[in-house]
Amino acid sequence: MAVRVNSPRARYREQTRSEIKEAAVRQLADGGIEGVALLRIAKEIGMSGPALYRYFASRDDLLAELVHDAYQAAAAAVHEVDIEAGGRTALHALTSAYRAWAVAQPHLYLLIQGTPVPGFTAPAETVLKARSVLGPFLTVFTQGRPLVSVDPLLAQLRVWLHEKPEVADWVEQWTGQSAAAPPAAIALTGAVMTWPQMHGTVSLEITGQFTGMGHDPATLLNVQMALLADAFQLP
């Protein structure tokens, strides 16, 4: 007999899965990805090793869930930002919100943006989760008027937009612009340029690389975004 979604057994299963993931996140915070061990999790929550495998088939299965949850949390952080003002104000607000999430949850940030785990392949839907995080940035850059210096990358991403229907659908979802409309390629180019600049700064901060350098990482990120806003002539 199928288990009803709201049955006591189903609720117990979801509660147990949540407890397992919470224990895994604690291990992740204490010792990084290498510190996540199913048998130690089982011991911590008072469960036998074989019993735990009924909830997660492997460590990679558990990591895939944590990756999913981390992207969900990152997306929630940027989706809560009010971007109604648009332009550089919205761009600064989005990058600040993302940085704040990463600084508050460095172990989750490094799980999705740090050194790849040997032998672990992230689930296919991870790309969709990453795009969800970047979606609001597309909206901001829709009103951009890029300088000539951006043209080479703009041309490449215009081709990508036309060759990949899933990318075109994603851009249209956030901008309301079809792939043929010039703002669609502009929005995609702005978002793609934001991604490495934002992550470069945040990653260095999270890993302590700015220690002793005499500046505030938040200020550096703001300056980078101001330069990017200038390149797209955002209001």
Side-chain angles (χ1 to χ4, degrees), residues 105-215:
Q105 305 287 344
H107 51 292
L108 296 181
Y109 174 82
L110 291 174
L111 174 65
I112 59 176
Q113 300 298 338
T115 304
V117 182
F120 172 69
T121 301
E125 61 267 24
T126 298
V127 174
L128 298 179
K129 299 302 178 184
R131 287 176 182 167
S132 179
V133 177
L134 199 52
F137 292 89
L138 291 169
T139 304
V140 170
F141 282 98
T142 305
Q143 57 186 301
R145 293 179 294 112
L147 301 177
V148 174
S149 57
V150 180
D151 282 352
L153 182 60
L154 180 61
Q156 291 180 10
L157 293 181
R158 187 178 293 116
V159 172
W160 189 43
L161 188 62
H162 284 277
E163 289 182 344
K164 297 292 184 180
E166 65 274 18
V167 175
D169 290 344
W170 168 55
V171 173
E172 186 168 4
Q173 174 190 350
W174 285 95
T175 67
Q177 303 288 328
S178 68
I186 292 172
L188 181 59
T189 304
V192 167
M193 289 180 68
T194 300
W195 197 241
Q197 290 197 37
M198 180 173 66
H199 277 297
T201 299
V202 172
S203 293
L204 289 172
E205 179 181 6
I206 294 299
T207 55
Q209 301 303 310
F210 286 141
T211 302
M213 291 184 66
H215 72 282

Side-chain angles (χ1 to χ4, degrees), residues 28-83:
L28 186 67
D30 290 340
I33 294 174
E34 296 78 8
V36 178
L38 294 187
L39 292 180
R40 284 205 299 116
I41 292 172
K43 182 178 180 180
E44 179 180 334
I45 65 175
M47 177 182 290
S48 70
L52 187 144
Y53 281 98
R54 293 202 296 266
Y55 297 92
F56 291 97
S58 65
R59 179 172 176 266
D60 283 359
D61 187 24
L62 175 56
L63 286 177
E65 287 262 351
L66 297 184
V67 167
H68 173 275
D69 291 351
Y71 272 116
Q72 289 280 82
V78 296
H79 290 184
E80 288 177 359
V81 175
D82 182 0
I83 59 173

Side-chain angles (χ1 to χ4, degrees), residues 90-104:
L91 179 61
H92 283 298
L94 287 171
T95 53
S96 295
Y98 187 83
R99 173 184 169 271
W101 170 79
V103 170

